Amino acid sequence: MERRKFIKTCCYTAIGVPLLVTTLQSCASAYFYAPVTLNKNRLVVKKADFWQVKKDKKIPRPFVLVKTPGMEFPICLYKINEETYTASLLKCTHRGCELNVGGGIYSCPCHGSEFSIKGNVLEGPAEQNLKTFEIALDNENIYILQS
Ligand code: FES
């Protein structure tokens, strides 16, 4: 390998590896899994977890995901406003793929079904709405009631 080509390759590697790591880290952190506790058959999430601090700025999160070790699919806890949240199981009702969250909807990567953040079918082939959960609130916490 020529010296010039070798140096060029090393430079691209030196720049590319950190860039790839940064990109992968940002992909991995795209969904925030909120710490959750179980209390009397209720999943408890802190309202404070809907905020993140980046460079000394408080930035709101529109949603957080919740998953405990016994759950096959996460629940998306979506904040509509201070007093209104929705909780939907991210399992597509068509054939059971895990849904993606983004753009204010849930979308299925398998066959393209789409659901509103309240869990209603917007686009097939899925015909049934998502499993949703009742929510209770107090000043600090959001309670996802499991039935
Ligand atoms: Fe989701 Fe088919 S499994 S659309």
Side-chain angles (χ1 to χ4, degrees), residues 51-59:
W51 292 95
Q52 60 184 323
V53 178
K54 279 188 178 172
K55 296 181 183 173
D56 297 332
K57 285 187 181 172
K58 255 179 110 178
I59 301 168

Side-chain angles (χ1 to χ4, degrees), residues 115-128:
F115 302 86
S116 72
I117 56 171
K118 292 183 177 177
N120 298 324
V121 175
L122 298 173
E123 187 72 44
E127 295 178 347
Q128 289 186 311

